[in-house]
Structures are given as structure tokens and as C-alpha cells.
Amino acid sequence: MRESIKEQLRSYAISTSDILLPKKDIDYYKWAVVACDQFTSQKEYWNDVEVLTADVPSTSRLIFPECYLEDEDKQQRIRSINAAMDNYLKIGLFDCYPDSFILVERTTMSGTRYGLMASLDLEKYSYASDSRSLIRATEGTILSRIPPRKEIRRNASLELPHIMVLINDARRLVIEPLVARRAELECIYDTDLMKGGGHIKGYLVNSDEDIKAVADGISILYKALDKANPLLYAMGDGNHSLATAKSIYEDMKKEKGKEALDNPCRYALVEIENIFDPALQFEAIHRVFFNMKLPAFDSLLSRRGGSITKDKVPTLEDAQKELEKDSGCLKFAVLTGEDCFVYRMKKAKQALSASLIQECIDNLPEGCGVDYIHGASVARDIAEKEGNIAVILPDISKETFFDAIIRDGAFPRKTFSIGHAEEKRYYMEARSIKQD
């Protein structure tokens, strides 16, 4: 029966895996560290991690924090990572949970959310902005970020994912049935996470019954898709890591041909989460324009088409309340040092305000600049300086998230963030990707 279930899963680009976890006597609190693309301007965070994990097994020795990417010892660091992976395998550090999923329970300041550790088929993934693949990017992929990541992964014997992938499961068919019966599943890890990461538990999902239930749930989602544009899995976090895995796999296909189709590098281990999980918090990333006056911005905007109106409001808080209202048009707020306006555009060709503003960014006059800002109040403070304009974008709607990608393609880069830095995925599980 298991083989038929696995075949069913593979038809939807998903698979169980032989998942590796440290043996029970390892300190999981010090084993798991946050995603390498967090705290990129705060080396003190990663220095603290190095001190905390000194002389104990830890994923801190298996990943390359991006704050160090420009350092001169890059190649030595990569060699050390590869050597540490090989050593952990050699000394038998891991227990293997074959042919399994893992149900992940993560409690953070935003609540308790759930995910499913599974492998996705890179044959069905594309990061092209106009992709119509089953698995696709949700934000623009910066191609220059792939080569340095390939250097790290190319000779790695393990992958440790910080990738989070979203499914559009309003009926709670895939993950939530496992959540409901997690008391019957074997809990294989249960630990606090370092430096404000909250708490995490993992439950083994390896019975035919449970795996078949996942397959059936995915099947229902798949059958409801538009076959001409079948978006089943949308990237939440870690798209550049998945793009790197894809690029490595494509290189292997050129070298080995059909032999590569059976290589473990065809798949990538990820955490799948339901976009409708209440604890999954989406936050807009705002824009600040430098050396631009409001009339110039209005002129730039007017060339984008549609019917534009703007209303002055007293405060940022008033503007945010307006942005929360459903009015059937694109909306955003614009702040200068003196005024605050809510803009509305009817009959827009774009599905998102961020897409509209990106067109403005792509056509900025010479001498103007832009930055991407987390936090509306931070953007407001920057707009207080003469010559700056802050654009406050509305939060992304979970209900229209998938539809917007299908309609517009990948969002502009830095459209949204899922939770705060401490809420990003921590490295826990591993998978062998030895390229035999």
C-alpha cells in the first residue's frame, strides 16, 4: 500500500523523506539556530550564537549566516561547514526516521502554528516571475543571490531547510487533521528555541493511514486548481534557498542526464504551512522614496493608469484604519513630513498596491532613491526628513494571496514578511543529499 500512496504523493510534487534528527542525548536547544538570512546586519547576534553553541553539536556549524558572506574567510567557512556535516554523519550523530513526514508545532509571540516537513519535487518548481508551475516563487528572485549559495550547497552532504512553503487550504484538509490527533503521534522533539525563538515540538507521521490522509487532502486541493495555471505551493520564506537547490539540480541534469531524475537532489526538504493558520502573521514591507517631492510622486503615479483619488487624513493610524477597509480598489498611504494621505486607484491593472508602487520604483527619475522598511512607524519617522516620502502599503490578504500570484505572477521583491525575525524557521531536521 505504501508504494501506491507514495506514487499518489509524487503526482502532486510532494514526497515523504528519510529525515535525520540528532540523537535524543543531544541538547536540542543548542542544536537549532535561526535561518541564516536573519539578523544580516547584526553580527553580534551570530557571535552570541557561536559562544552559546561552542563545543556542542549545533546547526550553527552547518549553515552560513549571511552576515558573513562578504568576509574574507568565506571559502574556509564553506570548507568547515562541509567538514562538520561529514563528521556528524561519520560519528553517527543522527537518528533516521525513514519514509516519513514530521508535524511541526511552533509557539511564538504570534501564537501556535503548525507545519508539515516534506520534500518537494524541484521538477515542478520554477522561480520565473511568470511561472505556471505547481511550485513557484511569490516574490521576485534576485538571480545574483544564487551563485554564492550554490558554492555552499554544491559539496554539502546534508540539507537543513529554513524554507517555508504555503498551501491554500481554507478547508483545513491537509495539516489540521494531523494536528487534531497529535496526541496519538510520537513526539520526537520538544524544546525551547534559543534567543527568543519560542518553543517547538515535532511529531512523527509515518503510518500508511496518516500519509494517505495527507495525500488525499493534497489531492482535493489539486483537483480544484485551474489546470492552465495550477498554483499548489507558494513560497513563504527561503525562496533563494529553494532556487539554489533548483539550480544545483539543473546543473546535475546537464551533467548526468536522466540519471539525475533519481538523485536525492531532485527533492528539497521544506516546511509546508497552511496560509490560513491563524498564527501565521503577514506584514507589509513599506517603501520610502528619497529626494522626491509629492507632486513628482503624483506625476509618476498618474502614468500608471487607472483613476486616482487621494484624501488627507490626520494621522498614520487613521490612514491604516482606511487601508484595512475593503473598498474594491487599490489603496496605500503616502506620508510627508507635514501631511498624510490615503490614495485609491480604481480600474487598476495590478492586483496589488505593491505592484503599482513597484512600477513607480522601476521608473524613478535620476537622483531619486528608495528603501524597503519594516514597520509603518519607522517609515513615518524617515518621511519626517525634508525630501522623503513614505508609502505605507496595506497588509497582504490571505484570502486573495494565491489569486494575486496567479493573476500578476510573483510579487515585487520585499512585498511582505511572515512574522518577526525570531519567528522565522529554526534549523532542526536534516536530509542527506550526497551526490553519488
Side-chain angles (χ1 to χ4, degrees), residues 124-340:
K124 303 297 178 65
Y125 164 65
S126 170
Y127 50 81
S129 60
D130 59 351
S131 168
R132 294 198 167 195
S133 55
L134 274 184
I135 312 163
R136 67 186 81 164
T138 53
E139 293 186 331
T141 303
I142 304 170
L143 298 182
S144 62
R145 294 179 64 178
I146 296 177
R149 287 162 177 76
K150 288 180 70 174
E151 287 188 62
I152 299 166
R153 185 180 175 94
R154 184 174 287 112
N155 296 313
S157 52
L158 295 171
E159 67 172 359
L160 295 99
H162 70 261
I163 301 166
M164 291 167 54
V165 177
L166 305 173
I167 54 174
N168 190 24
D169 188 10
R171 295 166 61 185
R172 278 78 171 172
L173 299 170
V174 178
I175 297 172
E176 286 77 3
L178 293 172
V179 174
R181 57 182 307 272
R182 64 191 182 281
E184 304 169 39
L185 303 175
E186 179 187 353
C187 183
I188 50 179
Y189 59 78
D190 182 351
T191 183
D192 287 335
L193 295 171
M194 67 171 66
K195 298 183 71 65
H199 193 90
I200 194 167
K201 292 182 180 180
Y203 301 89
L204 184 63
V205 180
N206 66 348
S207 71
D208 285 357
E209 178 184 4
D210 288 329
I211 294 173
K212 182 67 163 63
V214 171
D216 289 344
I218 292 287
S219 174
I220 293 171
L221 299 185
Y222 177 81
K223 289 175 181 176
L225 300 178
D226 176 0
K227 297 304 181 286
N229 198 347
L231 174 58
L232 185 57
Y233 309 99
M235 294 304 303
D237 275 330
N239 179 62
H240 287 91
S241 291
L242 196 64
T244 299
K246 171 74 169 181
S247 184
I248 291 281
Y249 173 58
E250 291 298 325
D251 290 347
M252 182 178 296
K253 285 201 296 182
K254 292 176 184 177
E255 177 186 345
K256 298 187 176 183
K258 291 184 178 180
E259 183 182 336
L261 296 176
D262 296 322
N263 193 282
C265 286
R266 173 175 173 171
Y267 286 83
L269 190 63
V270 305
E271 181 178 344
I272 297 172
E273 298 190 356
N274 184 4
I275 194 172
F276 291 103
D277 189 315
L280 201 63
Q281 300 293 314
F282 280 60
E283 297 179 355
I285 301 175
H286 310 294
R287 279 74 170 130
V288 172
F289 292 88
F290 301 99
N291 196 28
M292 176 172 281
K293 300 287 188 180
L294 190 60
F297 175 79
D298 288 348
S299 176
L300 192 62
L301 188 66
S302 67
R303 300 173 206 155
R304 311 277 74 81
S307 173
I308 303 170
T309 61
K310 67 177 184 180
D311 299 299
K312 190 173 181 177
V313 295
T315 67
L316 169 61
E317 291 71 26
D318 293 308
Q320 289 176 306
K321 290 177 182 177
E322 288 297 317
L323 296 185
E324 291 173 359
K325 296 178 181 178
D326 184 6
S327 59
C329 64
L330 297 188
K331 292 188 295 186
F332 54 91
V334 176
L335 282 65
T336 67
E338 300 173 348
D339 298 310
C340 180

